[in-house]
Coordinates of all heavy atoms in Angstrom, one line a residue:
M1 N 1.2 -39.9 6.2 CA 0.2 -39.4 5.3 C -1.0 -40.4 5.3 O -0.8 -41.6 5.2 CB 0.9 -39.4 3.9 CG 0.0 -38.9 2.8 SD 0.8 -38.8 1.2 CE 1.4 -37.1 1.3
T2 N -2.2 -39.9 5.4 CA -3.4 -40.7 5.4 C -3.8 -41.1 4.0 O -3.3 -40.6 3.0 CB -4.5 -39.9 6.1 OG1 -4.9 -38.8 5.2 CG2 -4.2 -39.3 7.4
A3 N -4.7 -42.0 4.0 CA -5.3 -42.5 2.7 C -5.9 -41.3 2.0 O -5.8 -41.2 0.7 CB -6.3 -43.6 2.9
L4 N -6.6 -40.4 2.7 CA -7.3 -39.3 2.1 C -6.2 -38.3 1.5 O -6.3 -37.8 0.4 CB -8.1 -38.5 3.1 CG -8.8 -37.2 2.6 CD1 -9.7 -37.5 1.4 CD2 -9.5 -36.5 3.8
D5 N -5.1 -38.1 2.2 CA -4.0 -37.3 1.7 C -3.5 -37.8 0.4 O -3.2 -37.1 -0.5 CB -2.9 -37.2 2.7 CG -3.2 -36.4 4.0 OD1 -4.1 -35.5 3.9 OD2 -2.6 -36.7 5.0
K6 N -3.3 -39.1 0.4 CA -2.7 -39.7 -0.8 C -3.7 -39.6 -2.0 O -3.3 -39.3 -3.1 CB -2.4 -41.2 -0.6 CG -1.3 -41.5 0.3 CD -1.1 -42.9 0.6 CE 0.0 -43.2 1.6 NZ 0.2 -44.6 2.0
E7 N -5.0 -39.8 -1.7 CA -6.0 -39.7 -2.8 C -6.1 -38.3 -3.3 O -6.1 -38.1 -4.6 CB -7.4 -40.1 -2.3 CG -8.5 -40.1 -3.3 CD -8.4 -41.1 -4.4 OE1 -7.6 -42.1 -4.3 OE2 -9.0 -40.9 -5.4
L8 N -6.1 -37.3 -2.4 CA -6.2 -35.9 -2.9 C -4.9 -35.5 -3.6 O -5.0 -34.7 -4.6 CB -6.4 -35.0 -1.7 CG -7.8 -35.2 -1.0 CD1 -7.9 -34.3 0.2 CD2 -8.9 -34.8 -2.0
E9 N -3.8 -36.0 -3.2 CA -2.5 -35.6 -3.9 C -2.6 -36.2 -5.4 O -2.1 -35.5 -6.3 CB -1.3 -36.2 -3.2 CG 0.0 -35.7 -3.7 CD 0.2 -34.2 -3.6 OE1 -0.2 -33.6 -2.7 OE2 0.8 -33.7 -4.5
Q10 N -3.2 -37.4 -5.5 CA -3.3 -37.9 -6.9 C -4.3 -37.1 -7.7 O -4.1 -37.0 -8.9 CB -3.7 -39.4 -6.8 CG -2.7 -40.3 -6.2 CD -3.2 -41.7 -6.1 OE1 -4.4 -42.0 -6.1 NE2 -2.3 -42.7 -5.8
L11 N -5.3 -36.5 -7.1 CA -6.3 -35.8 -7.8 C -5.8 -34.3 -8.1 O -6.4 -33.6 -8.9 CB -7.6 -35.7 -7.0 CG -8.3 -37.1 -6.8 CD1 -9.4 -36.9 -5.9 CD2 -8.7 -37.6 -8.1
K12 N -4.7 -33.9 -7.5 CA -4.3 -32.5 -7.5 C -4.1 -32.0 -9.0 O -4.5 -31.0 -9.4 CB -3.1 -32.3 -6.7 CG -2.7 -30.8 -6.6 CD -1.4 -30.7 -5.7 CE -1.0 -29.3 -5.6 NZ 0.2 -29.2 -4.7
S13 N -3.4 -32.8 -9.8 CA -3.1 -32.4 -11.1 C -4.4 -32.3 -12.0 O -4.5 -31.4 -12.8 CB -2.1 -33.3 -11.8 OG -2.6 -34.6 -12.0
G14 N -5.3 -33.2 -11.7 CA -6.6 -33.1 -12.4 C -7.4 -31.8 -12.0 O -8.0 -31.2 -12.8
M15 N -7.3 -31.5 -10.7 CA -7.9 -30.3 -10.3 C -7.3 -29.0 -10.9 O -8.0 -28.1 -11.3 CB -7.8 -30.1 -8.7 CG -8.6 -31.1 -8.0 SD -8.3 -30.8 -6.2 CE -9.0 -32.4 -5.5
Y16 N -6.0 -29.0 -11.0 CA -5.3 -27.9 -11.7 C -5.8 -27.8 -13.1 O -6.1 -26.7 -13.6 CB -3.8 -28.2 -11.7 CG -3.0 -27.1 -12.3 CD1 -2.5 -26.0 -11.6 CD2 -2.7 -27.1 -13.7 CE1 -1.8 -25.0 -12.1 CE2 -1.9 -26.1 -14.3 CZ -1.5 -25.0 -13.5 OH -0.8 -24.0 -14.1
A17 N -5.8 -28.9 -13.8 CA -6.3 -28.9 -15.2 C -7.7 -28.5 -15.3 O -8.1 -27.7 -16.2 CB -6.2 -30.3 -15.8
D18 N -8.6 -28.9 -14.4 CA -10.0 -28.4 -14.4 C -10.1 -26.9 -14.2 O -10.9 -26.3 -14.9 CB -10.8 -29.1 -13.3 CG -11.0 -30.6 -13.5 OD1 -10.8 -31.0 -14.7 OD2 -11.3 -31.3 -12.6
V19 N -9.3 -26.4 -13.3 CA -9.4 -24.9 -13.0 C -8.9 -24.2 -14.3 O -9.5 -23.2 -14.7 CB -8.6 -24.5 -11.8 CG1 -8.6 -23.0 -11.6 CG2 -9.3 -25.1 -10.5
L20 N -7.8 -24.7 -14.8 CA -7.2 -24.0 -16.0 C -8.3 -24.1 -17.2 O -8.5 -23.1 -17.9 CB -6.0 -24.7 -16.5 CG -5.2 -24.2 -17.7 CD1 -4.8 -22.7 -17.4 CD2 -4.0 -25.0 -18.0
S21 N -9.0 -25.2 -17.3 CA -10.0 -25.3 -18.3 C -11.2 -24.3 -18.0 O -11.7 -23.7 -19.0 CB -10.6 -26.7 -18.3 OG -11.6 -26.9 -19.2
L22 N -11.5 -24.1 -16.8 CA -12.5 -23.2 -16.4 C -12.1 -21.8 -16.8 O -12.9 -21.0 -17.3 CB -12.8 -23.3 -14.9 CG -14.0 -22.5 -14.3 CD1 -15.3 -23.0 -14.9 CD2 -14.0 -22.7 -12.8
V23 N -10.9 -21.4 -16.5 CA -10.4 -20.1 -16.9 C -10.5 -19.9 -18.4 O -11.0 -18.9 -18.9 CB -9.0 -19.8 -16.4 CG1 -8.4 -18.6 -17.0 CG2 -8.9 -19.8 -14.9
D24 N -10.0 -20.9 -19.1 CA -10.1 -20.9 -20.6 C -11.5 -20.8 -21.1 O -11.8 -20.0 -22.1 CB -9.4 -22.1 -21.2 CG -7.9 -22.1 -21.0 OD1 -7.3 -21.0 -20.8 OD2 -7.3 -23.2 -21.2
K25 N -12.4 -21.5 -20.5 CA -13.8 -21.4 -20.9 C -14.3 -20.0 -20.8 O -15.0 -19.5 -21.7 CB -14.7 -22.3 -20.0 CG -16.2 -22.1 -20.1 CD -16.9 -23.0 -19.1 CE -18.4 -22.6 -19.2 NZ -19.2 -23.4 -18.2
Y26 N -14.1 -19.3 -19.6 CA -14.6 -18.0 -19.5 C -13.8 -16.9 -20.3 O -14.4 -15.9 -20.7 CB -14.7 -17.6 -18.0 CG -15.8 -18.3 -17.3 CD1 -15.6 -19.4 -16.5 CD2 -17.1 -18.0 -17.6 CE1 -16.7 -20.1 -15.9 CE2 -18.2 -18.6 -17.1 CZ -18.0 -19.7 -16.2 OH -19.0 -20.4 -15.7
M27 N -12.6 -17.2 -20.6 CA -11.8 -16.3 -21.5 C -12.5 -16.4 -22.9 O -12.6 -15.4 -23.6 CB -10.4 -16.8 -21.6 CG -9.5 -16.4 -20.4 SD -9.3 -14.6 -20.2 CE -8.4 -14.2 -21.7
T28 N -12.9 -17.6 -23.3 CA -13.5 -17.8 -24.6 C -14.8 -17.0 -24.7 O -15.1 -16.3 -25.6 CB -13.7 -19.2 -24.9 OG1 -12.4 -19.9 -24.9 CG2 -14.4 -19.4 -26.2
I29 N -15.6 -17.2 -23.6 CA -16.9 -16.5 -23.6 C -16.7 -15.0 -23.6 O -17.4 -14.2 -24.3 CB -17.7 -16.9 -22.3 CG1 -18.1 -18.4 -22.5 CG2 -18.9 -16.0 -22.1 CD1 -18.7 -19.0 -21.2
T30 N -15.8 -14.5 -22.8 CA -15.5 -13.1 -22.7 C -15.1 -12.6 -24.1 O -15.5 -11.5 -24.5 CB -14.4 -12.8 -21.7 OG1 -14.9 -13.2 -20.4 CG2 -14.2 -11.3 -21.6
G31 N -14.3 -13.3 -24.8 CA -13.8 -13.0 -26.1 C -14.9 -12.9 -27.1 O -14.9 -12.0 -28.0
W32 N -16.0 -13.8 -27.0 CA -17.1 -13.7 -27.9 C -17.9 -12.4 -27.6 O -18.4 -11.8 -28.6 CB -18.1 -14.9 -27.6 CG -17.6 -16.2 -28.1 CD1 -16.6 -16.5 -29.0 CD2 -18.0 -17.5 -27.5 NE1 -16.5 -17.9 -29.1 CE2 -17.3 -18.5 -28.2 CE3 -18.9 -17.8 -26.5 CZ2 -17.5 -19.8 -27.9 CZ3 -19.1 -19.2 -26.3 CH2 -18.3 -20.2 -27.0
D33 N -18.1 -12.1 -26.4 CA -19.0 -11.0 -26.0 C -18.3 -9.6 -26.2 O -19.0 -8.7 -26.4 CB -19.4 -11.2 -24.5 CG -20.3 -12.3 -24.3 OD1 -20.9 -12.9 -25.3 OD2 -20.5 -12.8 -23.1
I34 N -17.0 -9.6 -26.0 CA -16.2 -8.4 -26.1 C -15.0 -8.6 -27.0 O -13.9 -8.9 -26.5 CB -15.8 -7.9 -24.7 CG1 -16.9 -7.9 -23.7 CG2 -15.1 -6.5 -24.8 CD1 -16.5 -7.8 -22.3
P35 N -15.2 -8.4 -28.3 CA -14.1 -8.7 -29.2 C -12.8 -7.9 -29.0 O -11.7 -8.4 -29.2 CB -14.7 -8.3 -30.6 CG -16.2 -8.4 -30.4 CD -16.4 -8.0 -29.0
E36 N -13.0 -6.7 -28.5 CA -11.8 -5.8 -28.2 C -11.2 -6.1 -26.8 O -10.5 -5.3 -26.2 CB -12.1 -4.3 -28.4 CG -13.1 -3.7 -27.4 CD -14.5 -4.0 -27.6 OE1 -14.9 -4.7 -28.6 OE2 -15.3 -3.6 -26.8
N37 N -11.6 -7.2 -26.2 CA -11.2 -7.6 -24.9 C -9.7 -7.5 -24.6 O -8.9 -8.0 -25.4 CB -11.7 -9.0 -24.7 CG -11.5 -9.6 -23.3 OD1 -11.5 -8.8 -22.4 ND2 -11.4 -10.9 -23.2
D38 N -9.3 -7.0 -23.5 CA -8.0 -7.0 -23.0 C -7.8 -8.3 -22.3 O -8.2 -8.5 -21.1 CB -7.7 -5.8 -22.0 CG -6.4 -5.8 -21.3 OD1 -5.6 -6.8 -21.5 OD2 -6.0 -4.8 -20.7
E39 N -7.1 -9.3 -22.9 CA -7.0 -10.6 -22.5 C -6.3 -10.8 -21.1 O -6.7 -11.6 -20.3 CB -6.4 -11.5 -23.5 CG -7.3 -11.8 -24.7 CD -6.7 -12.8 -25.6 OE1 -5.8 -13.6 -25.3 OE2 -7.2 -12.9 -26.8
V40 N -5.2 -10.0 -20.9 CA -4.5 -10.1 -19.7 C -5.4 -9.6 -18.5 O -5.5 -10.3 -17.5 CB -3.2 -9.2 -19.7 CG1 -2.5 -9.1 -18.4 CG2 -2.3 -9.7 -20.8
E41 N -6.1 -8.5 -18.7 CA -7.0 -8.0 -17.6 C -8.1 -9.0 -17.4 O -8.5 -9.2 -16.3 CB -7.5 -6.6 -18.0 CG -8.4 -6.0 -16.9 CD -7.8 -5.8 -15.6 OE1 -6.5 -5.7 -15.5 OE2 -8.5 -5.7 -14.6
A42 N -8.7 -9.5 -18.5 CA -9.8 -10.4 -18.4 C -9.4 -11.7 -17.6 O -10.1 -12.1 -16.7 CB -10.3 -10.8 -19.7
K43 N -8.2 -12.2 -17.9 CA -7.7 -13.4 -17.2 C -7.5 -13.1 -15.7 O -7.9 -13.9 -14.8 CB -6.5 -13.9 -17.8 CG -6.0 -15.3 -17.2 CD -4.8 -15.9 -17.9 CE -5.3 -16.6 -19.1 NZ -4.3 -17.4 -19.8
K44 N -7.0 -12.0 -15.4 CA -6.8 -11.6 -14.0 C -8.1 -11.5 -13.2 O -8.2 -12.0 -12.1 CB -6.1 -10.3 -13.9 CG -4.6 -10.3 -14.2 CD -4.0 -8.9 -14.1 CE -2.6 -8.8 -14.5 NZ -2.0 -7.5 -14.5
R45 N -9.1 -10.9 -13.9 CA -10.4 -10.8 -13.2 C -11.1 -12.1 -13.1 O -11.8 -12.3 -12.1 CB -11.2 -9.7 -13.9 CG -10.5 -8.3 -13.8 CD -11.2 -7.2 -14.4 NE -12.5 -7.0 -13.7 CZ -13.4 -6.1 -14.1 NH1 -13.1 -5.3 -15.2 NH2 -14.5 -5.9 -13.5
I46 N -11.0 -12.9 -14.1 CA -11.7 -14.3 -14.0 C -11.1 -15.1 -12.9 O -11.8 -15.7 -12.1 CB -11.6 -15.0 -15.4 CG1 -12.5 -14.3 -16.4 CG2 -11.9 -16.5 -15.2 CD1 -12.2 -14.8 -17.8
I47 N -9.8 -15.1 -12.8 CA -9.1 -15.8 -11.7 C -9.5 -15.2 -10.3 O -9.7 -15.9 -9.4 CB -7.6 -15.8 -11.9 CG1 -7.2 -16.6 -13.1 CG2 -6.8 -16.3 -10.6 CD1 -5.8 -16.5 -13.6
A48 N -9.6 -13.9 -10.2 CA -10.0 -13.2 -9.0 C -11.4 -13.7 -8.6 O -11.7 -14.0 -7.4 CB -10.0 -11.7 -9.1
F49 N -12.3 -13.8 -9.6 CA -13.7 -14.3 -9.3 C -13.7 -15.7 -8.9 O -14.4 -16.1 -7.9 CB -14.6 -14.1 -10.5 CG -14.9 -12.7 -10.9 CD1 -15.1 -12.3 -12.2 CD2 -15.2 -11.7 -9.9 CE1 -15.4 -11.0 -12.5 CE2 -15.5 -10.4 -10.2 CZ -15.6 -10.0 -11.5
I50 N -12.9 -16.5 -9.5 CA -12.8 -17.9 -9.0 C -12.3 -18.0 -7.6 O -12.8 -18.8 -6.8 CB -11.8 -18.7 -10.0 CG1 -12.5 -18.9 -11.4 CG2 -11.5 -20.1 -9.4 CD1 -11.6 -19.5 -12.4
K51 N -11.3 -17.2 -7.2 CA -10.8 -17.1 -5.9 C -11.9 -16.7 -4.9 O -12.1 -17.3 -3.8 CB -9.6 -16.2 -5.7 CG -8.4 -16.7 -6.3 CD -7.3 -15.6 -6.2 CE -6.0 -16.0 -6.8 NZ -4.9 -15.0 -6.7
E52 N -12.7 -15.7 -5.3 CA -13.9 -15.3 -4.5 C -14.8 -16.5 -4.2 O -15.3 -16.7 -3.1 CB -14.6 -14.2 -5.1 CG -13.9 -12.8 -5.1 CD -14.8 -11.7 -5.8 OE1 -16.0 -11.8 -5.8 OE2 -14.1 -10.8 -6.3
V53 N -15.1 -17.2 -5.3 CA -16.0 -18.3 -5.1 C -15.5 -19.4 -4.2 O -16.2 -19.9 -3.3 CB -16.4 -19.0 -6.5 CG1 -17.1 -20.3 -6.4 CG2 -17.2 -18.0 -7.4
V54 N -14.2 -19.7 -4.3 CA -13.5 -20.6 -3.4 C -13.6 -20.2 -2.0 O -13.9 -21.0 -1.1 CB -12.1 -20.9 -3.9 CG1 -11.3 -21.7 -2.8 CG2 -12.0 -21.6 -5.2
L55 N -13.3 -18.9 -1.7 CA -13.4 -18.4 -0.4 C -14.8 -18.5 0.2 O -15.0 -18.8 1.3 CB -12.9 -16.9 -0.3 CG -11.4 -16.7 -0.5 CD1 -11.1 -15.2 -0.6 CD2 -10.6 -17.4 0.6
E56 N -15.8 -18.2 -0.7 CA -17.2 -18.3 -0.2 C -17.5 -19.8 0.1 O -18.2 -20.0 1.1 CB -18.2 -17.8 -1.3 CG -18.2 -16.3 -1.4 CD -19.1 -15.8 -2.6 OE1 -20.0 -16.6 -3.0 OE2 -18.9 -14.7 -3.0
L57 N -17.1 -20.7 -0.7 CA -17.3 -22.1 -0.4 C -16.6 -22.5 0.9 O -17.2 -23.3 1.7 CB -16.8 -23.0 -1.5 CG -17.5 -22.9 -2.8 CD1 -16.8 -23.6 -3.9 CD2 -18.9 -23.4 -2.7
E58 N -15.4 -22.0 1.2 CA -14.7 -22.3 2.4 C -15.5 -21.8 3.6 O -15.6 -22.5 4.7 CB -13.3 -21.7 2.5 CG -12.3 -22.4 1.6 CD -10.9 -21.7 1.7 OE1 -10.9 -20.5 1.9 OE2 -10.0 -22.5 1.5
E59 N -16.1 -20.6 3.5 CA -16.8 -20.0 4.6 C -18.1 -20.8 4.9 O -18.5 -20.8 6.0 CB -17.2 -18.6 4.2 CG -16.0 -17.6 4.2 CD -16.4 -16.2 3.7 OE1 -17.6 -15.9 3.4 OE2 -15.5 -15.4 3.6
K60 N -18.7 -21.4 3.9 CA -19.9 -22.2 4.1 C -19.7 -23.5 4.8 O -20.6 -24.2 5.3 CB -20.6 -22.4 2.8 CG -21.2 -21.2 2.2 CD -22.0 -21.4 0.9 CE -22.5 -20.1 0.4 NZ -23.3 -20.3 -0.9
N61 N -18.4 -24.0 4.8 CA -18.1 -25.3 5.4 C -17.5 -25.2 6.7 O -16.7 -24.6 7.2 CB -17.2 -26.1 4.4 CG -18.0 -26.6 3.2 OD1 -19.2 -27.1 3.4 ND2 -17.5 -26.5 2.1

């Protein structure tokens, strides 16, 4: 395991927390804008959009 591998492994839980926070942020915004919001569907779609962004970032590198 390289030094980079070790460093990234240590950062992994923080990254997880950051993504979870991002999902929560957009769930909150969606709830403000659409009070009758289907939370399960909204969360699925927000996560799908995050995945799309990650794939786009991968393609650029």
Side-chain angles (χ1 to χ4, degrees):
M1 182 177 270
T2 67
L4 177 58
D5 292 332
K6 290 177 186 176
E7 180 68 19
L8 292 175
E9 190 60 36
Q10 290 175 347
L11 294 173
K12 186 177 178 180
S13 66
M15 289 178 197
Y16 182 89
D18 290 343
V19 173
L20 183 58
S21 176
L22 188 61
V23 171
D24 289 343
K25 171 187 173 181
Y26 286 105
M27 284 294 295
T28 300
I29 292 169
T30 303
W32 290 335
D33 294 342
I34 309 168
E36 68 280 358
N37 184 28
D38 177 349
E39 290 189 14
V40 173
E41 181 63 21
K43 187 174 274 189
K44 285 180 186 178
R45 294 181 68 182
I46 290 167
I47 291 169
F49 289 143
I50 292 171
K51 287 178 182 179
E52 285 180 30
V53 170
V54 170
L55 290 174
E56 288 177 19
L57 291 172
E58 284 181 334
E59 289 174 3
K60 289 181 181 182
N61 287 318

